[in-house]
Amino acid sequence: MMEFTVLKTKVSVSPLFFAVLTSVLLLDKTGISGFAVLFSFLHEIGHILALLCKKIRPKAFSVTVFGMHIRLPENLSTAEKCFVLMSGFAVNYILAALFFIFHKPVFGYINLLIGIF
């Protein structure tokens, strides 16, 4: 596990993530899996932006084979937790709406699935 700190937030990245990602991207002839990873990353960025809006620093950010995860501080109020949690799927729903408006339904459906998941 590669670990480092960014702005007092512990970041850990599994080397296995890159091996699996490379394999999936090489085997996927459609390129859709690369966009799914990108949209998942944007989902997590939505959470991070919500934390920054509230001036809250995440405790940790990790990237594993099973996904990207943000560990929140324990002292968040219920309203703050809801705001942060809802911001992730809000990003995906906004992206889905934009893709449907611009006639790219495949990307719209990917974002809907990530938002629901």
Side-chain angles (χ1 to χ4, degrees), residues 32 39 99-100 103-111:
I32 290 176
F39 299 144
F99 282 120
F100 285 126
H103 305 288
K104 301 290 184 189
V106 171
F107 299 133
Y109 287 121
I110 291 170
N111 276 288

Side-chain angles (χ1 to χ4, degrees), residues 3-22:
E3 295 183 349
F4 52 95
T5 303
V6 176
L7 300 173
K8 297 183 182 179
T9 299
K10 180 183 169 187
V11 178
S12 56
V13 181
S14 168
L16 189 57
F17 168 77
F18 292 111
V20 171
L21 177 63
T22 301

Side-chain angles (χ1 to χ4, degrees), residues 48-70:
I48 291 172
L49 289 174
L51 287 167
L52 292 174
C53 285
K54 292 287 189 177
K55 296 182 178 25
I56 300 169
R57 189 168 310 212
K59 289 184 77 170
F61 181 79
S62 62
V63 180
T64 66
V65 176
F66 302 107
M68 297 171 237
H69 310 280
I70 298 172

Side-chain angles (χ1 to χ4, degrees), residues 77-87:
S77 70
T78 303
E80 289 172 325
K81 286 180 189 175
C82 287
F83 178 71
V84 171
L85 294 175
M86 290 173 46
S87 64

